[in-house]
């Protein structure tokens, strides 16, 4: 055989920069081969890349991770997988290399720089021997250690991990609570009159609803928790809405112009000074005097040192936040500069926050209803310990806009944090023509319980991999355990919303995808509509993205509710993709299918024979009024299986909607409601 063969080391990097919107860099690098027979097989260096400007960079930071595709290529240009290749690192303390169990489109080896790596250089070498000739390829990496600066004590408390989840904005440690009252006849008549950048723990802003439901056309920046404005676990800073005493309507924070066309403003007023533009940290540049991603913003001030940790110990409650949407404009303090919200404009935009409580708000008609970010894989820019409770999300997202958005990138809620709980929330429809999700999340320690999903969202639950918090999230043990229980899902499938849960990832770094266990129990799923595809599925329950992902599905109601009496309901398919769906003791409409039509991708459904539901009548209280509690004689009553594999804090003790405790009678019912 001829020995004009070569070894290619193709490095494909998918590095997330900025936030949980994955800005993915992918490069493929082919490097020259030094052979023992250079006369007949001269060395050659070739480069091909998928990302301009990142083709040959050897610089890596502590904590970075990437895939490498390492393969033996014959002179004919084909891959010879039978050739054994040895790959090693000259210094694993700086950069390690390991073969992945399942190769993917980006590579078959994983290169990782430990977060504790010091600065230095290390070489990755690949070698193979064919017919007595040794081929080698080496690449030197320059490693930069993480910053060793120590945050000051006064500003680092927010990065302390909570030992138990924060469930309320506690001010019990405050000797005095400082109230800032805003509203008609109050000390402050406008939000821009407050010194937002000075507010700290034990301060409470009370925003009173205006008469006749008139809005505040103003923007807010909350920066408490930094070294400039310290907080503590029992000294929260709170922003709360005071409802109208007659109608109960929340105060409205509106990003749109007012009825006279005056633009919403980004401003604050310090004592003894004229009003100035909100001092968001990204406003420091003269070319970016205004920030256009959020209406109510949580994040650091201009000039803030990120080593001090994120803002935190903040409560935001009882507000109606609306109209941070593409096309709406706003102004600075002097009315001299204007800008418009980006397509990603968000009702409540959280750059990074620790110990955050968001409760009883309404977020609607924005690009995103809620966005919580983690970024750069650093603890000081990590959102953590977050409670999202009793909020209403609807009419968010965007229909496709040419050269702006494809309509899939904005959602009712989009979050990435370490330890986050969603409970008692209501998720309604996205904006007409939008393809966004009800709840998209990239967090560890995710719990979704007692919520109502009544929507046309593209996906009800879109559970993807971490792309901003990185190893601080996907390296967490509880990243592999996601709990979804006690929820009501009421959907009418259409062309854009055929999927209940997508569990996996979308960054391309499959090693970081969710591939643990999705615990899905005691939920009520109601699919409304007559079957229009005969025996073929029209809605999918579980799309698992990785072969070792498992959905533990038990005690759920999967009900195909027809609109026409006597007609068959829409066919539900349990699985598509990869992984395993283990079903135990669920009530499933009889026309359901185990797999999506054309299923060829490897998903496995176990326990199908344990399902109940032979006559497609679960006997519910009043389906016409959307009351899905079991009625007398329902086969769901006392039919639930044991949940002995769960700790007591993860058992269903409440029901969807308002905080209603679930009756505990020793025998749990199937579904989200107890008889």
């Amino acid at each position: 055989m001829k020995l004009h063969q070569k070894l290619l080391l193709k490095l494909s990097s998918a590095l997330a920069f900025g936030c949980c919107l994955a800005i993915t860099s992918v490069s493929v690098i082919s490097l020259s081969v030094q052979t023992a027979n250079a006369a007949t097989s001269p060395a050659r260096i070739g480069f091909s890349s998928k990302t301009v400007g990142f083709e040959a960079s050897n610089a890596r930071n502590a904590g970075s991770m990437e895939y490498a595709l390492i393969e033996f290529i014959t002179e004919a240009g084909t891959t010879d997988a039978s050739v054994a290749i040895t790959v090693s690192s000259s210094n694993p303390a700086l950069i390690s290399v390991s073969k992945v169990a399942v190769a993917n489109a980006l590579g078959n080896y994983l290169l990782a720089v430990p977060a504790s790596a010091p600065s230095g250089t290390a070489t990755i070498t690949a070698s193979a021997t064919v017919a007595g000739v040794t081929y080698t390829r080496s690449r030197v990496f320059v490693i930069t250690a993480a910053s060793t600066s120590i945050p000051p004590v006064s500003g680092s408390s927010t990065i302390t991990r909570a030992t138990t989840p924060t469930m309320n904005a506690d001010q019990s440690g405050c000797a005095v609570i400082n109230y800032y009252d805003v509203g008609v006849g109050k000390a402050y008549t406008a939000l821009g009159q407050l010194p937002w950048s000075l507010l700290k723990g034990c301060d409470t802003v009370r925003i009173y609803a205006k008469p006749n439901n008139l809005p505040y056309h103003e923007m807010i920046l909350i920066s408490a928790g930094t070294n400039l404005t310290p907080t503590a676990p029992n000294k929260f800073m709170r922003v709360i809405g005071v409802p109208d005493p007659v109608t109960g309507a929340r105060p409205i924070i509106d990003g749109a112009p007012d009825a006279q066309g005056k633009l919403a403003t980004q401003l604050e007023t310090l004592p003894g000074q004229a009003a100035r533009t909100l001092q968001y940290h990204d406003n420091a540049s003269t070319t970016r005097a205004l920030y256009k991603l959020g209406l109510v913003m949580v994040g650091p001030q201009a000039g803030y040192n990120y080593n001090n940790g994120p803002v935190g110990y903040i409560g935001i409650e009882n507000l109606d936040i609306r109209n941070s949407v593409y096309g709406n404009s706003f102004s600075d303090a002097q009315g001299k500069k204007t800008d418009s919200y980006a397509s990603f404009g968000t009702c409540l935009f959280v750059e990074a926050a620790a110990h955050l409580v968001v409760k009883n708000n309404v977020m609607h008609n924005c690009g995103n209803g809620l966005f919580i970010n983690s970024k750069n894989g650093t603890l000081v820019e990590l959102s953590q310990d977050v409670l999202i409770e009793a909020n209403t999300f609807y009419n968010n997202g965007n229909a496709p806009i040419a050269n702006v958005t494809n309509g899939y990138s904005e959602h009712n809620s989009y979050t990435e944090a370490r330890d986050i709980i969603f409970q008692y929330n209501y998720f309604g429809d996205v904006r007409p023509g939008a393809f966004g999700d009800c709840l998209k999340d990239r967090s560890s320690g995710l719990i979704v319980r007692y919520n109502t999903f009544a929507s046309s969202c593209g996906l009800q639950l879109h559970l993807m991999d971490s792309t901003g918090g990185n190893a601080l999230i996907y390296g967490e043990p509880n990243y592999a355990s996601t709990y979804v229980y006690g929820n009501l899902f009421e959907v009418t499938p259409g062309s854009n919303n055929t999927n209940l849960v997508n569990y996996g990832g979308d960054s391309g770094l499959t090693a970081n995808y969710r591939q643990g266990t999705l615990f899905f129990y005691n939920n009520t799923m109601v699919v409304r509509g007559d079957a229009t595809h005969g025996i073929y599925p029209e809605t999918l329950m579980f799309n698992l993205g990785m072969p070792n992902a498992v959905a533990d599905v038990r005690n759920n109601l999967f009900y195909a509710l027809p609109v026409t009496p006597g007609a068959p309901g829409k066919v539900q398919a349990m699985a598509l993709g990869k992984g395993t769906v283990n079903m135990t003791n669920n009530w499933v409409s009889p026309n359901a299918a185990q797999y999506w039509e054309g299923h060829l991708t490897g998903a496995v459904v176990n326990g199908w024979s344990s399902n109940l539901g032979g006559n497609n009548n679960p006997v519910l209280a009043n389906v016409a009024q959307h009351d899905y509690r079991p009625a007398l004689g329902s086969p769901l009553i006392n039919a639930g299986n044991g949940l002995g594999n769960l700790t007591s804090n993860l058992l269903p003790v409440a029901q969807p909607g308002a905080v209603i405790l679930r009756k505990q009678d020793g025998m749990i019912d199937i579904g989200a409601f107890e008889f």
Side-chain angles (χ1 to χ4, degrees), residues 367-370 396-397 408-414 436-438 440:
N368 294 292
L370 170 68
N396 298 298
Y408 290 91
S409 300
E410 299 85 33
H411 314 282
N412 269 333
S413 176
Y414 189 5
D437 306 320
C438 273
K440 184 170 184 177

Side-chain angles (χ1 to χ4, degrees), residues 616-646:
N616 202 38
N617 184 9
V619 189
L620 303 177
N622 191 335
V623 296
Q625 297 299 318
H626 308 274
D627 185 349
Y628 301 115
R629 295 174 298 164
L632 184 65
S634 171
L636 309 178
I637 297 173
N638 295 338
N641 204 351
L643 299 172
N645 61 326
L646 301 172

Side-chain angles (χ1 to χ4, degrees), residues 60-63 91-95 113-122 141-148:
R60 297 293 182 268
N61 294 322
N91 189 345
L94 289 179
I95 185 168
V113 180
S116 59
S119 297
T121 59
F141 290 87
V142 179
I143 309 302
T144 301
S147 171
T148 57

Side-chain angles (χ1 to χ4, degrees), residues 22-42:
I23 303 173
T24 304
S25 298
V26 179
S27 60
V28 179
I29 300 175
S30 168
L31 299 170
S32 65
V33 179
Q34 304 294 330
T35 74
N37 188 359
T40 57
S41 182

